[in-house]
PDB file of all heavy atoms in Angstrom:
ATOM      1  N   GLN A   1     -31.091  -2.201   2.179  1.00 79.00           N
ATOM      2  CA  GLN A   1     -32.502  -2.360   1.866  1.00 79.00           C
ATOM      3  C   GLN A   1     -33.328  -2.082   3.124  1.00 79.00           C
ATOM      4  O   GLN A   1     -32.971  -2.544   4.208  1.00 79.00           O
ATOM      5  CB  GLN A   1     -32.789  -3.784   1.377  1.00 79.00           C
ATOM      6  CG  GLN A   1     -34.186  -3.996   0.853  1.00 79.00           C
ATOM      7  CD  GLN A   1     -34.413  -3.375  -0.504  1.00 79.00           C
ATOM      8  OE1 GLN A   1     -33.460  -2.933  -1.156  1.00 79.00           O
ATOM      9  NE2 GLN A   1     -35.644  -3.319  -0.937  1.00 79.00           N
ATOM     10  N   VAL A   2     -34.394  -1.335   2.964  1.00 88.00           N
ATOM     11  CA  VAL A   2     -35.256  -1.008   4.095  1.00 88.00           C
ATOM     12  C   VAL A   2     -36.623  -1.631   3.873  1.00 88.00           C
ATOM     13  O   VAL A   2     -37.102  -1.714   2.745  1.00 88.00           O
ATOM     14  CB  VAL A   2     -35.375   0.525   4.262  1.00 88.00           C
ATOM     15  CG1 VAL A   2     -36.011   1.173   3.060  1.00 88.00           C
ATOM     16  CG2 VAL A   2     -36.122   0.869   5.534  1.00 88.00           C
ATOM     17  N   GLN A   3     -37.209  -2.117   4.936  1.00 93.00           N
ATOM     18  CA  GLN A   3     -38.570  -2.640   4.890  1.00 93.00           C
ATOM     19  C   GLN A   3     -39.484  -1.670   5.644  1.00 93.00           C
ATOM     20  O   GLN A   3     -39.134  -1.206   6.732  1.00 93.00           O
ATOM     21  CB  GLN A   3     -38.650  -4.028   5.526  1.00 93.00           C
ATOM     22  CG  GLN A   3     -37.949  -5.119   4.744  1.00 93.00           C
ATOM     23  CD  GLN A   3     -36.446  -5.100   4.922  1.00 93.00           C
ATOM     24  OE1 GLN A   3     -35.946  -4.968   6.024  1.00 93.00           O
ATOM     25  NE2 GLN A   3     -35.717  -5.218   3.819  1.00 93.00           N
ATOM     26  N   LEU A   4     -40.634  -1.379   5.046  1.00 95.00           N
ATOM     27  CA  LEU A   4     -41.560  -0.401   5.609  1.00 95.00           C
ATOM     28  C   LEU A   4     -42.937  -1.025   5.774  1.00 95.00           C
ATOM     29  O   LEU A   4     -43.430  -1.691   4.852  1.00 95.00           O
ATOM     30  CB  LEU A   4     -41.661   0.813   4.694  1.00 95.00           C
ATOM     31  CG  LEU A   4     -40.343   1.527   4.387  1.00 95.00           C
ATOM     32  CD1 LEU A   4     -40.533   2.573   3.292  1.00 95.00           C
ATOM     33  CD2 LEU A   4     -39.785   2.179   5.639  1.00 95.00           C
ATOM     34  N   VAL A   5     -43.547  -0.801   6.925  1.00 96.00           N
ATOM     35  CA  VAL A   5     -44.881  -1.338   7.200  1.00 96.00           C
ATOM     36  C   VAL A   5     -45.768  -0.209   7.715  1.00 96.00           C
ATOM     37  O   VAL A   5     -45.518   0.346   8.784  1.00 96.00           O
ATOM     38  CB  VAL A   5     -44.826  -2.474   8.237  1.00 96.00           C
ATOM     39  CG1 VAL A   5     -46.233  -2.982   8.532  1.00 96.00           C
ATOM     40  CG2 VAL A   5     -43.933  -3.607   7.741  1.00 96.00           C
ATOM     41  N   GLU A   6     -46.807   0.109   6.932  1.00 97.00           N
ATOM     42  CA  GLU A   6     -47.742   1.162   7.313  1.00 97.00           C
ATOM     43  C   GLU A   6     -48.894   0.594   8.132  1.00 97.00           C
ATOM     44  O   GLU A   6     -49.273  -0.574   7.970  1.00 97.00           O
ATOM     45  CB  GLU A   6     -48.328   1.847   6.070  1.00 97.00           C
ATOM     46  CG  GLU A   6     -47.323   2.472   5.141  1.00 97.00           C
ATOM     47  CD  GLU A   6     -46.952   1.576   3.980  1.00 97.00           C
ATOM     48  OE1 GLU A   6     -47.079   0.338   4.133  1.00 97.00           O
ATOM     49  OE2 GLU A   6     -46.523   2.092   2.932  1.00 97.00           O
ATOM     50  N   SER A   7     -49.468   1.444   8.964  1.00 97.00           N
ATOM     51  CA  SER A   7     -50.657   1.083   9.731  1.00 97.00           C
ATOM     52  C   SER A   7     -51.420   2.349  10.087  1.00 97.00           C
ATOM     53  O   SER A   7     -50.894   3.456   9.940  1.00 97.00           O
ATOM     54  CB  SER A   7     -50.284   0.318  11.003  1.00 97.00           C
ATOM     55  OG  SER A   7     -49.484   1.117  11.846  1.00 97.00           O
ATOM     56  N   GLY A   8     -52.665   2.168  10.535  1.00 98.00           N
ATOM     57  CA  GLY A   8     -53.445   3.297  11.012  1.00 98.00           C
ATOM     58  C   GLY A   8     -54.542   3.783  10.098  1.00 98.00           C
ATOM     59  O   GLY A   8     -55.300   4.690  10.449  1.00 98.00           O
ATOM     60  N   GLY A   9     -54.634   3.204   8.905  1.00 97.00           N
ATOM     61  CA  GLY A   9     -55.692   3.618   8.003  1.00 97.00           C
ATOM     62  C   GLY A   9     -57.058   3.150   8.481  1.00 97.00           C
ATOM     63  O   GLY A   9     -57.168   2.402   9.453  1.00 97.00           O
ATOM     64  N   GLY A  10     -58.091   3.599   7.794  1.00 97.00           N
ATOM     65  CA  GLY A  10     -59.438   3.193   8.162  1.00 97.00           C
ATOM     66  C   GLY A  10     -60.485   4.068   7.527  1.00 97.00           C
ATOM     67  O   GLY A  10     -60.191   4.849   6.610  1.00 97.00           O
ATOM     68  N   LEU A  11     -61.701   3.921   8.019  1.00 98.00           N
ATOM     69  CA  LEU A  11     -62.846   4.691   7.540  1.00 98.00           C
ATOM     70  C   LEU A  11     -63.165   5.776   8.559  1.00 98.00           C
ATOM     71  O   LEU A  11     -63.305   5.488   9.760  1.00 98.00           O
ATOM     72  CB  LEU A  11     -64.043   3.769   7.351  1.00 98.00           C
ATOM     73  CG  LEU A  11     -65.385   4.416   7.003  1.00 98.00           C
ATOM     74  CD1 LEU A  11     -65.305   5.118   5.655  1.00 98.00           C
ATOM     75  CD2 LEU A  11     -66.491   3.371   7.021  1.00 98.00           C
ATOM     76  N   VAL A  12     -63.295   7.001   8.081  1.00 98.00           N
ATOM     77  CA  VAL A  12     -63.584   8.123   8.974  1.00 98.00           C
ATOM     78  C   VAL A  12     -64.527   9.089   8.266  1.00 98.00           C
ATOM     79  O   VAL A  12     -64.521   9.173   7.029  1.00 98.00           O
ATOM     80  CB  VAL A  12     -62.272   8.826   9.388  1.00 98.00           C
ATOM     81  CG1 VAL A  12     -61.570   9.434   8.189  1.00 98.00           C
ATOM     82  CG2 VAL A  12     -62.503   9.842  10.483  1.00 98.00           C
ATOM     83  N   GLN A  13     -65.326   9.786   9.037  1.00 98.00           N
ATOM     84  CA  GLN A  13     -66.216  10.784   8.449  1.00 98.00           C
ATOM     85  C   GLN A  13     -65.451  12.058   8.128  1.00 98.00           C
ATOM     86  O   GLN A  13     -64.418  12.363   8.742  1.00 98.00           O
ATOM     87  CB  GLN A  13     -67.348  11.105   9.414  1.00 98.00           C
ATOM     88  CG  GLN A  13     -68.369   9.988   9.558  1.00 98.00           C
ATOM     89  CD  GLN A  13     -69.574  10.417  10.365  1.00 98.00           C
ATOM     90  OE1 GLN A  13     -69.481  11.287  11.221  1.00 98.00           O
ATOM     91  NE2 GLN A  13     -70.709   9.797  10.100  1.00 98.00           N
ATOM     92  N   ALA A  14     -65.968  12.798   7.169  1.00 98.00           N
ATOM     93  CA  ALA A  14     -65.362  14.079   6.831  1.00 98.00           C
ATOM     94  C   ALA A  14     -65.260  14.953   8.076  1.00 98.00           C
ATOM     95  O   ALA A  14     -66.187  15.001   8.893  1.00 98.00           O
ATOM     96  CB  ALA A  14     -66.193  14.775   5.765  1.00 98.00           C
ATOM     97  N   GLY A  15     -64.113  15.602   8.209  1.00 98.00           N
ATOM     98  CA  GLY A  15     -63.848  16.413   9.385  1.00 98.00           C
ATOM     99  C   GLY A  15     -63.123  15.677  10.486  1.00 98.00           C
ATOM    100  O   GLY A  15     -62.648  16.300  11.449  1.00 98.00           O
ATOM    101  N   GLY A  16     -63.028  14.380  10.353  1.00 98.00           N
ATOM    102  CA  GLY A  16     -62.372  13.562  11.359  1.00 98.00           C
ATOM    103  C   GLY A  16     -60.869  13.519  11.192  1.00 98.00           C
ATOM    104  O   GLY A  16     -60.290  14.196  10.334  1.00 98.00           O
ATOM    105  N   SER A  17     -60.239  12.691  12.032  1.00 98.00           N
ATOM    106  CA  SER A  17     -58.779  12.589  12.054  1.00 98.00           C
ATOM    107  C   SER A  17     -58.330  11.134  12.041  1.00 98.00           C
ATOM    108  O   SER A  17     -59.053  10.247  12.513  1.00 98.00           O
ATOM    109  CB  SER A  17     -58.221  13.266  13.314  1.00 98.00           C
ATOM    110  OG  SER A  17     -58.521  14.635  13.357  1.00 98.00           O
ATOM    111  N   LEU A  18     -57.154  10.932  11.509  1.00 98.00           N
ATOM    112  CA  LEU A  18     -56.469   9.639  11.564  1.00 98.00           C
ATOM    113  C   LEU A  18     -54.982   9.908  11.722  1.00 98.00           C
ATOM    114  O   LEU A  18     -54.475  10.940  11.259  1.00 98.00           O
ATOM    115  CB  LEU A  18     -56.687   8.827  10.288  1.00 98.00           C
ATOM    116  CG  LEU A  18     -58.013   8.095  10.093  1.00 98.00           C
ATOM    117  CD1 LEU A  18     -58.054   7.478   8.686  1.00 98.00           C
ATOM    118  CD2 LEU A  18     -58.239   7.042  11.141  1.00 98.00           C
ATOM    119  N   LYS A  19     -54.284   8.957  12.336  1.00 98.00           N
ATOM    120  CA  LYS A  19     -52.837   9.040  12.425  1.00 98.00           C
ATOM    121  C   LYS A  19     -52.241   7.771  11.851  1.00 98.00           C
ATOM    122  O   LYS A  19     -52.485   6.670  12.343  1.00 98.00           O
ATOM    123  CB  LYS A  19     -52.374   9.219  13.869  1.00 98.00           C
ATOM    124  CG  LYS A  19     -50.874   9.473  13.987  1.00 98.00           C
ATOM    125  CD  LYS A  19     -50.481   9.799  15.422  1.00 98.00           C
ATOM    126  CE  LYS A  19     -48.996  10.143  15.536  1.00 98.00           C
ATOM    127  NZ  LYS A  19     -48.608  10.523  16.907  1.00 98.00           N
ATOM    128  N   LEU A  20     -51.462   7.941  10.790  1.00 98.00           N
ATOM    129  CA  LEU A  20     -50.782   6.828  10.154  1.00 98.00           C
ATOM    130  C   LEU A  20     -49.388   6.662  10.748  1.00 98.00           C
ATOM    131  O   LEU A  20     -48.739   7.646  11.113  1.00 98.00           O
ATOM    132  CB  LEU A  20     -50.672   7.058   8.647  1.00 98.00           C
ATOM    133  CG  LEU A  20     -51.962   7.336   7.887  1.00 98.00           C
ATOM    134  CD1 LEU A  20     -51.664   7.465   6.394  1.00 98.00           C
ATOM    135  CD2 LEU A  20     -53.012   6.299   8.159  1.00 98.00           C
ATOM    136  N   SER A  21     -48.958   5.420  10.809  1.00 98.00           N
ATOM    137  CA  SER A  21     -47.609   5.108  11.267  1.00 98.00           C
ATOM    138  C   SER A  21     -46.902   4.257  10.231  1.00 98.00           C
ATOM    139  O   SER A  21     -47.542   3.481   9.517  1.00 98.00           O
ATOM    140  CB  SER A  21     -47.644   4.338  12.597  1.00 98.00           C
ATOM    141  OG  SER A  21     -48.258   5.089  13.610  1.00 98.00           O
ATOM    142  N   CYS A  22     -45.593   4.406  10.158  1.00 97.00           N
ATOM    143  CA  CYS A  22     -44.777   3.596   9.253  1.00 97.00           C
ATOM    144  C   CYS A  22     -43.545   3.150  10.026  1.00 97.00           C
ATOM    145  O   CYS A  22     -42.703   3.982  10.390  1.00 97.00           O
ATOM    146  CB  CYS A  22     -44.390   4.406   8.032  1.00 97.00           C
ATOM    147  SG  CYS A  22     -43.185   3.579   6.951  1.00 97.00           S
ATOM    148  N   ALA A  23     -43.460   1.854  10.259  1.00 97.00           N
ATOM    149  CA  ALA A  23     -42.319   1.287  10.973  1.00 97.00           C
ATOM    150  C   ALA A  23     -41.290   0.793   9.970  1.00 97.00           C
ATOM    151  O   ALA A  23     -41.625   0.081   9.025  1.00 97.00           O
ATOM    152  CB  ALA A  23     -42.790   0.134  11.857  1.00 97.00           C
ATOM    153  N   ALA A  24     -40.038   1.188  10.190  1.00 95.00           N
ATOM    154  CA  ALA A  24     -38.957   0.842   9.278  1.00 95.00           C
ATOM    155  C   ALA A  24     -37.980  -0.119   9.938  1.00 95.00           C
ATOM    156  O   ALA A  24     -37.739  -0.059  11.141  1.00 95.00           O
ATOM    157  CB  ALA A  24     -38.219   2.103   8.842  1.00 95.00           C
ATOM    158  N   SER A  25     -37.408  -0.966   9.106  1.00 91.00           N
ATOM    159  CA  SER A  25     -36.375  -1.877   9.590  1.00 91.00           C
ATOM    160  C   SER A  25     -35.408  -2.163   8.451  1.00 91.00           C
ATOM    161  O   SER A  25     -35.739  -1.969   7.285  1.00 91.00           O
ATOM    162  CB  SER A  25     -36.988  -3.183  10.100  1.00 91.00           C
ATOM    163  OG  SER A  25     -37.672  -3.858   9.059  1.00 91.00           O
ATOM    164  N   GLY A  26     -34.224  -2.585   8.788  1.00 82.00           N
ATOM    165  CA  GLY A  26     -33.300  -3.064   7.785  1.00 82.00           C
ATOM    166  C   GLY A  26     -32.129  -2.158   7.458  1.00 82.00           C
ATOM    167  O   GLY A  26     -31.173  -2.596   6.839  1.00 82.00           O
ATOM    168  N   ARG A  27     -32.190  -0.885   7.783  1.00 80.00           N
ATOM    169  CA  ARG A  27     -31.047  -0.015   7.564  1.00 80.00           C
ATOM    170  C   ARG A  27     -31.163   1.169   8.507  1.00 80.00           C
ATOM    171  O   ARG A  27     -32.132   1.296   9.245  1.00 80.00           O
ATOM    172  CB  ARG A  27     -30.954   0.451   6.108  1.00 80.00           C
ATOM    173  CG  ARG A  27     -32.036   1.421   5.689  1.00 80.00           C
ATOM    174  CD  ARG A  27     -31.801   1.951   4.276  1.00 80.00           C
ATOM    175  NE  ARG A  27     -32.800   2.940   3.945  1.00 80.00           N
ATOM    176  CZ  ARG A  27     -32.940   3.510   2.761  1.00 80.00           C
ATOM    177  NH1 ARG A  27     -32.129   3.176   1.786  1.00 80.00           N
ATOM    178  NH2 ARG A  27     -33.871   4.412   2.523  1.00 80.00           N
ATOM    179  N   ALA A  28     -30.196   2.082   8.439  1.00 87.00           N
ATOM    180  CA  ALA A  28     -30.134   3.211   9.363  1.00 87.00           C
ATOM    181  C   ALA A  28     -31.243   4.207   9.069  1.00 87.00           C
ATOM    182  O   ALA A  28     -31.068   5.171   8.321  1.00 87.00           O
ATOM    183  CB  ALA A  28     -28.772   3.888   9.254  1.00 87.00           C
ATOM    184  N   PHE A  29     -32.377   3.995   9.694  1.00 90.00           N
ATOM    185  CA  PHE A  29     -33.574   4.827   9.463  1.00 90.00           C
ATOM    186  C   PHE A  29     -33.273   6.297   9.631  1.00 90.00           C
ATOM    187  O   PHE A  29     -33.708   7.124   8.827  1.00 90.00           O
ATOM    188  CB  PHE A  29     -34.657   4.378  10.441  1.00 90.00           C
ATOM    189  CG  PHE A  29     -35.872   5.263  10.462  1.00 90.00           C
ATOM    190  CD1 PHE A  29     -36.856   5.117   9.505  1.00 90.00           C
ATOM    191  CD2 PHE A  29     -36.044   6.218  11.453  1.00 90.00           C
ATOM    192  CE1 PHE A  29     -37.987   5.922   9.524  1.00 90.00           C
ATOM    193  CE2 PHE A  29     -37.170   7.025  11.483  1.00 90.00           C
ATOM    194  CZ  PHE A  29     -38.145   6.873  10.518  1.00 90.00           C
ATOM    195  N   SER A  30     -32.525   6.637  10.676  1.00 90.00           N
ATOM    196  CA  SER A  30     -32.328   8.044  11.012  1.00 90.00           C
ATOM    197  C   SER A  30     -31.492   8.808   9.992  1.00 90.00           C
ATOM    198  O   SER A  30     -31.399  10.024  10.070  1.00 90.00           O
ATOM    199  CB  SER A  30     -31.679   8.152  12.392  1.00 90.00           C
ATOM    200  OG  SER A  30     -30.413   7.516  12.396  1.00 90.00           O
ATOM    201  N   SER A  31     -30.887   8.119   9.038  1.00 92.00           N
ATOM    202  CA  SER A  31     -30.036   8.783   8.046  1.00 92.00           C
ATOM    203  C   SER A  31     -30.774   9.198   6.782  1.00 92.00           C
ATOM    204  O   SER A  31     -30.189   9.842   5.900  1.00 92.00           O
ATOM    205  CB  SER A  31     -28.882   7.857   7.646  1.00 92.00           C
ATOM    206  OG  SER A  31     -28.103   7.494   8.759  1.00 92.00           O
ATOM    207  N   TYR A  32     -32.043   8.828   6.664  1.00 93.00           N
ATOM    208  CA  TYR A  32     -32.767   9.002   5.407  1.00 93.00           C
ATOM    209  C   TYR A  32     -34.027   9.835   5.579  1.00 93.00           C
ATOM    210  O   TYR A  32     -34.769   9.671   6.556  1.00 93.00           O
ATOM    211  CB  TYR A  32     -33.160   7.648   4.827  1.00 93.00           C
ATOM    212  CG  TYR A  32     -31.972   6.800   4.442  1.00 93.00           C
ATOM    213  CD1 TYR A  32     -31.361   5.962   5.372  1.00 93.00           C
ATOM    214  CD2 TYR A  32     -31.443   6.847   3.155  1.00 93.00           C
ATOM    215  CE1 TYR A  32     -30.265   5.200   5.037  1.00 93.00           C
ATOM    216  CE2 TYR A  32     -30.346   6.067   2.810  1.00 93.00           C
ATOM    217  CZ  TYR A  32     -29.765   5.253   3.747  1.00 93.00           C
ATOM    218  OH  TYR A  32     -28.684   4.488   3.401  1.00 93.00           O
ATOM    219  N   ALA A  33     -34.278  10.716   4.603  1.00 95.00           N
ATOM    220  CA  ALA A  33     -35.567  11.392   4.542  1.00 95.00           C
ATOM    221  C   ALA A  33     -36.666  10.361   4.294  1.00 95.00           C
ATOM    222  O   ALA A  33     -36.427   9.313   3.682  1.00 95.00           O
ATOM    223  CB  ALA A  33     -35.562  12.430   3.427  1.00 95.00           C
ATOM    224  N   MET A  34     -37.858  10.680   4.785  1.00 96.00           N
ATOM    225  CA  MET A  34     -38.997   9.783   4.634  1.00 96.00           C
ATOM    226  C   MET A  34     -40.173  10.558   4.067  1.00 96.00           C
ATOM    227  O   MET A  34     -40.280  11.777   4.246  1.00 96.00           O
ATOM    228  CB  MET A  34     -39.390   9.192   5.988  1.00 96.00           C
ATOM    229  CG  MET A  34     -38.316   8.350   6.649  1.00 96.00           C
ATOM    230  SD  MET A  34     -37.971   6.833   5.748  1.00 96.00           S
ATOM    231  CE  MET A  34     -39.540   5.972   5.919  1.00 96.00           C
TER     232      MET A  34
END
């Protein structure tokens, strides 16, 4: 079982940028497509 926690969302004006992150725990993250 894997646990996933997203972060980085927010309010931005059109044309702007955001970077989302997702931290995983609980199993071999590197073995799975995301």
Side-chain angles (χ1 to χ4, degrees):
Q1 188 74 10
V2 62
Q3 291 78 45
L4 303 171
V5 178
E6 302 97 335
S7 62
L11 173 63
V12 63
Q13 288 188 332
S17 298
L18 282 174
K19 187 174 184 177
L20 305 183
S21 299
C22 172
S25 62
R27 70 174 184 186
F29 172 82
S30 61
S31 301
Y32 296 88
M34 298 293 295

